[in-house]
Amino acid sequence: MTVYAALMAALTAVGALIAIPIGPVPIVLQNLFVMLAGLLLGARWGAASMGVYLLAGALGLPVFAGGSGGIGRLLGPTGGYLVGFLPAVLLIGVVSGGKTRFWMRDAIAVAGGSLVIYGFGLVWLNHITHMGWDRALAVGMLPFLPGDIAKGVAAVLAARSLRPRLAWRGRP
Amino acid sequence: MIEVKQVSHRFGDGSTGLDGISLRIAAGEFVVIAGANGSGKTSLLRHLNGLLKPDRGSVWVDGLDVTRNLCTARQRVGMVFQDADSQIVGETVADDVAFGPQNLGLPPAEIERRVAHALAVVGLAGASQKRPHLLSGGEKRRLAIAGILAMQPKVIAFDEPFSNLDYGGVRQVLAEIVRLHTKGHTILVATHELEKVIAHAGRLIILQNGRLVHDGRPQELLPIVERYGIRQPWTVRMGKKVDSWLN
Amino acid sequence: MAELTAFGYQPRQSFLHRCDARVKIGSLLIVSSAGLYARGWGLLVLTAAAGAAFLCGRQPLWRTLRELRWFFILLAAILASRAIFTPGRPLVQVFTVAVSSRGLVDGVLVCWRLLLIVLSAMVLAATTRASEIRAAVQWFFAPVPFVPEKRLGTMLGLLVRLIPLIFGRISEVRCAQLARCVDCRKNPIYRMRVLVVPLMERLFDAADELVLAMTARAYHENRSGPLLQAGRSDWLVLSAIAAAGLVAVIV
Ligand SMILES: Nc1ncnc2c1ncn2[C@@H]1O[C@H](COP(=O)(O)OP(=O)(O)OP(=O)(O)O)[C@@H](O)[C@H]1O
Ligand SMILES: [Mg+2]
């Protein structure tokens, strides 16, 4: 499990670093991997993977989009979104976890997780820039909403195909 | 059929992939592209279906410029990769073979027909509902071939088709390649293991450091291949004719 | 992408390179938290401290600034936003856009703080080896309950190790799919799913293999890491930074 959590952290990092030319515009896959961390690893290990990711970034490993910057990145205007990954994954893990796997639960979990990320992101964005809620919403949420909905759907679908294989491989 | 005109390619880190390569391949040929590790075999194949774009020069397939007709070029020139695992997309064998035709937007009935046909050709018809990851190495490679066949390409390019295969696996895949050639496909095989395939080839191309250094009939080039870091088939060393692995 | 693997570490001989990683991380924490509260003179004190560290670590200024080019854009956006949207007496007015003096001062202050913290963090990253950072992290988390610090160190190491591997796998899978005309499909959800599922499956395999390889070389979590040693000079640095932080907050 340790290595899988590290893997999800690394994927989150790579997701921030490259935009993949699929769809109408190149898509940054970071949120997709964040959601998958919660869906596949569950609350505990998902949160561990995000914690490691944020710690690595805070210590100066260039795992955040647009270069290095360490802890300053977390305190910068976009830092709220990054910090929000941690509670988001916790929420996704808790809501989607449990005995019965039901796609509705995954979908609700992913939607909730995304809202948590936006919540943290917008609060901090507004705090740093003083732009006001309506403008923060217009700059920091609405343009990304369509992409995030697509990513959420893709995450739920991907988790459904990946889960049986993860269970099958036995956990070290 | 395929025409490569003065193609050069340089990678982002400054290393040279290809350097001024020109060649022409007619329909129905069986060409082996040989060279040491890092000589540019993979880079050359990837230019043929537009996975890499030439920095200088151009590549033409059936008179179409590849960089301007990506979809057509990719459908005409199928490619089987060095690492069969990275090609697997679907959750079952049949799903995986259907991936290409689905991307081409074909009607479902046609897709089903092609999948069944491709699987039958490579002898995997019985395994169509199996999970691809459970197949053996040789079967995975044949699955990759089926995935390409379902797109009905005229040219099929194989990148190191024998790597990681045991004797039986090599024979399975080789038999497949030869059968495809007799059915009229143009075959390109990039490899450094000449011994396994050269008996069936009509033409040998030797690359070194991204440059095309020789292009000719295998009988003429085999005596000198060791200069370019390629191992000579042992029968040639013994002064005999090359022997097919299928015998 | 090669720089990614090395924590941005620049091997050089300097006082800061020899300094204890724990002291450097501690100093960074002090500067960051003090920087968030300090105003005016306090910030100046902290900036002087960070500047001294920057010179001491012998960092190329130009390269550092270039690394930060995206960050400068963000800073400019903050400044503009603060200046325009903070209510107050307008300083200049262009049509309906008014720049208030309080907003301008506020904006400069915020940008200054962020820049200060980012620069300090970059000095840390440039002068400290990854293994030292890992050891220091383990030391910091040792007294924290519920955090298995050794495992944390292992995960950081794995993270660094896995990033280049992921880049390789992504390009492999993408190439194979492009060869089968995946770009004829326009639906982004389909494209994402079809990319991510095989990619992650292969990565889970690779991760398993990595664990096997590490186990085969007798890896275990209680392994010997680099020695962390705090000397007199380290304590001196820490106290100096702490003093600067205190002054900055009080002033
Ligand atoms: N993505 C890349 N980025 C940078 N350099 C590359 C890349 N891919 C290949 N190269 C370089 O280009 C050269 C040719 O590589 P290529 O893969 O075409 O060789 P090859 O003949 O297929 O080798 P092999 O037998 O190992 O498969 C090599 O020197 C290699 O280092
Ligand atoms: Mg190759």
Side-chain angles (χ1 to χ4, degrees):
Chain A
M1 243 7 219
T2 314
V3 70
Y4 294 160
L7 178 62
M8 289 316 300
L11 273 168
T12 308
V14 172
L17 297 171
I18 53 172
I20 296 181
I22 49 187
V25 285
I27 295 183
V28 178
L29 291 179
Q30 183 167 42
N31 299 28
L32 178 63
F33 291 127
V34 172
M35 296 171 198
L36 278 174
L39 290 175
L40 294 177
L41 302 180
R44 206 168 86 105
W45 283 101
S49 76
M50 289 303 113
V52 167
Y53 171 70
L54 293 178
L55 185 64
L59 290 172
L61 182 66
V63 294
F64 297 147
S68 45
I71 198 165
R73 275 325 201 78
L74 293 179
L75 298 172
T78 54
Y81 296 98
L82 298 172
V83 174
F85 289 166
L86 191 59
V89 165
L90 261 177
L91 181 81
I92 293 177
V94 168
V95 174
S96 74
K99 290 274 183 301
T100 54
R101 295 291 188 193
F102 187 47
W103 70 269
M104 249 335 248
R105 279 176 77 161
D106 287 353
I108 294 171
V110 163
S114 300
L115 287 181
V116 169
I117 296 177
Y118 278 123
F120 274 73
L122 290 178
V123 166
W124 190 249
L125 182 67
N126 190 34
H127 175 72
I128 291 275
T129 59
H130 280 192
M131 51 171 52
W133 288 111
D134 46 343
R135 293 195 194 85
L137 224 57
V139 174
M141 178 161 174
L142 296 182
F144 306 109
L145 216 46
D148 267 0
I149 291 173
K151 283 180 227 171
V153 176
V156 171
L157 291 176
R160 270 167 55 87
S161 335
L162 284 168
R163 266 199 198 114
R165 296 182 211 190
L166 262 183
W168 178 73
R169 101 184 31 242
R171 307 189 156 177
Chain B
M1 172 91 233
I2 294 180
E3 196 168 4
V4 177
K5 293 182 184 164
Q6 287 298 328
V7 164
S8 298
H9 185 91
R10 204 172 266 281
F11 286 102
D13 61 354
S15 62
T16 308
L18 296 178
D19 188 1
I21 291 209
S22 294
L23 57 90
R24 200 185 246 279
I25 294 169
E29 276 195 273
F30 190 134
V31 184
V32 169
I33 300 170
N37 281 142
S39 55
K41 305 181 291 289
T42 303
S43 310
L44 176 58
L45 289 188
R46 289 192 174 185
H47 275 83
L48 300 183
N49 62 357
L51 288 179
L52 290 176
K53 311 245 157 65
D55 292 333
R56 239 175 305 126
S58 55
V59 182
W60 302 76
V61 172
D62 280 344
L64 297 172
D65 185 344
V66 166
T67 44
R68 286 204 214 100
N69 302 279
L70 279 178
C71 256
T72 323
R74 284 176 188 159
Q75 190 260 315
R76 300 250 166 104
V77 183
M79 186 166 298
V80 179
F81 285 74
Q82 194 158 350
D83 177 19
D85 284 289
S86 68
Q87 281 201 298
I88 294 173
V89 184
E91 305 191 8
T92 65
V93 167
D95 263 3
D96 188 71
V97 178
F99 179 71
Q102 281 170 352
N103 290 336
L104 294 176
L106 299 173
E110 169 72 6
I111 292 179
E112 207 165 304
R113 205 184 57 72
R114 284 193 184 195
V115 169
H117 180 249
L119 283 176
V121 168
V122 300
L124 283 177
S128 72
Q129 291 311 313
K130 257 191 165 178
R131 301 234 334 259
H133 294 264
L134 301 178
L135 299 177
S136 75
E139 286 171 333
K140 272 185 193 165
R141 193 87 39 147
R142 284 187 291 157
L143 170 61
I145 297 175
I148 294 301
L149 277 182
M151 300 175 66
Q152 303 193 335
K154 292 185 179 167
V155 183
I156 306 180
F158 296 86
D159 195 353
E160 304 284 3
F162 308 119
S163 59
N164 282 329
L165 293 186
D166 62 5
Y167 181 49
V170 169
R171 283 174 52 115
Q172 281 178 9
V173 172
L174 181 61
E176 206 51 69
I177 296 176
V178 172
R179 187 150 3 116
L180 292 173
H181 182 232
T182 50
K183 279 194 173 170
H185 290 282
T186 308
I187 303 287
L188 303 175
V189 177
T191 183
H192 55 263
E193 300 167 300
L194 284 182
E195 184 167 319
K196 294 175 182 166
V197 59
I198 197 67
H200 303 277
R203 183 171 167 191
L204 176 60
I205 289 174
I206 299 179
L207 299 183
Q208 187 181 35
N209 297 328
R211 265 195 294 275
L212 192 157
V213 285
H214 282 289
D215 181 353
R217 286 150 55 79
Q219 300 91 301
E220 291 153 14
L221 292 180
L222 278 176
I224 57 166
V225 290
E226 299 244 340
R227 272 182 234 163
Y228 305 100
I230 308 159
R231 186 178 154 80
Q232 223 170 25
W234 67 271
T235 44
V236 175
R237 294 191 160 194
M238 307 287 287
K240 293 189 225 152
K241 267 179 56 111
V242 282
D243 190 24
S244 166
W245 269 46
L246 293 179
N247 300 332
Chain C
M1 293 296 168
E3 317 108 275
L4 271 180
T5 52
F7 265 81
Y9 177 70
Q10 309 264 318
R12 276 199 185 77
Q13 286 298 321
S14 83
F15 171 67
L16 270 188
H17 282 77
R18 286 190 299 276
C19 214
D20 189 327
R22 288 168 298 178
V23 168
K24 283 188 270 187
I25 293 181
S27 308
L28 176 63
L29 288 178
I30 293 173
V31 169
S32 309
S33 41
L36 281 185
Y37 289 103
R39 304 182 64 88
W41 287 108
L43 264 183
L44 214 55
V45 172
L46 285 178
T47 310
F54 196 82
L55 292 178
C56 199
R58 299 213 248 138
Q59 286 309 300
L61 183 63
W62 183 238
R63 229 191 67 123
T64 312
L65 292 182
R66 221 186 43 189
E67 278 255 302
L68 285 177
R69 56 193 183 276
W70 288 111
F71 199 66
F72 281 118
I73 296 177
L74 281 180
L75 287 184
I78 295 179
L79 185 60
S81 163
R82 281 262 181 167
I84 295 169
F85 298 132
T86 307
R89 193 171 49 80
L91 199 65
V92 228
Q93 184 147 18
V94 186
F95 302 112
T96 57
V97 179
V99 175
S100 74
S101 57
R102 209 183 61 146
L104 202 59
V105 171
D106 262 10
V108 170
L109 217 55
V110 170
C111 291
W112 188 356
R113 283 175 183 153
L114 287 177
L115 196 59
L116 171 70
I117 296 171
V118 165
L119 281 179
S120 320
M122 287 186 79
V123 172
L124 167 75
T127 60
T128 319
R129 239 185 286 273
S131 56
E132 287 175 334
I133 291 196
R134 255 171 70 187
V137 165
Q138 287 187 13
W139 185 87
F140 274 113
F141 278 95
V144 181
F146 304 120
V147 178
E149 71 281 356
K150 298 259 169 58
R151 182 156 302 173
L152 187 62
T154 307
M155 284 170 78
L156 278 177
L158 282 171
L159 170 73
V160 174
R161 171 75 182 68
L162 284 168
I163 288 178
L165 188 118
I166 295 175
F167 274 114
R169 289 294 150 87
I170 287 186
S171 76
E172 263 174 33
V173 171
R174 260 184 65 70
C175 265
Q177 298 192 349
L178 282 176
R180 286 162 82 184
C181 290
V182 78
D183 54 346
C184 303
R185 288 289 192 103
K186 293 298 175 232
N187 179 351
I189 294 176
Y190 174 82
R191 296 279 299 272
M192 277 191 270
R193 194 177 70 87
V194 140
L195 174 69
V196 165
V197 172
L199 172 72
M200 301 229 339
E201 213 165 81
R202 299 208 2 119
L203 284 173
F204 280 119
D205 282 341
D208 286 348
E209 230 165 77
L210 194 62
V211 170
L212 285 182
M214 281 163 62
T215 321
R217 287 164 70 186
Y219 182 92
H220 58 107
E221 291 186 341
N222 294 314
R223 59 207 288 270
S224 36
L227 197 60
L228 293 172
Q229 253 178 343
R232 254 227 336 262
S233 54
D234 289 317
W235 286 111
L236 223 63
V237 170
L238 194 61
S239 3
I241 296 282
L246 212 60
V247 170
V249 174
I250 292 169
V251 175

